[in-house]
Amino acid sequence: VMADRFTNTLMRFGAWKDLELRISTPGLIVQDQPDRSTVTGFGPLTFGVKRHIWDTDEASLLPAFGVIAQVKTPTGSVPF
């Protein structure tokens, strides 16, 4: 059975009232291989922004809404 273990990390910075800057990474990854060996390395960094569009409107039951845009960089270890 193959399994992946990783240290997922997300850092969020409030830039303005409705805008958030984000940096995320799976961090250290340990991946079990079918031959019982393991591959270890670091995952790529992802940079993003989150824009809050509107709050919940309880009268109309309309949920809050926002948009996230992300860019994954080729910064991880070779197998990842």
Side-chain angles (χ1 to χ4, degrees):
V1 174
M2 286 184 47
D4 290 343
R5 296 176 300 281
F6 49 91
T7 56
N8 205 15
T9 303
L10 170 63
M11 293 180 283
R12 306 179 312 168
F13 307 96
W16 290 275
K17 181 180 181 287
D18 292 333
L19 187 69
E20 173 181 291
L21 305 177
R22 304 160 68 94
I23 300 173
S24 64
T25 179
L28 180 65
I29 301 171
V30 178
Q31 188 176 67
D32 296 333
Q33 301 297 305
D35 65 356
R36 297 185 183 259
S37 66
T38 59
V39 176
T40 304
F42 289 93
L45 286 174
T46 301
F47 296 94
V49 295
K50 178 180 177 183
R51 172 73 164 93
H52 173 77
I53 307 298
W54 66 70
D55 289 324
T56 301
D57 182 2
E58 293 182 19
S60 67
L61 301 176
L62 188 66
F65 182 75
V67 177
I68 297 175
Q70 300 184 124
V71 175
K72 185 186 286 187
T73 62
T75 56
S77 300
V78 173
F80 306 108

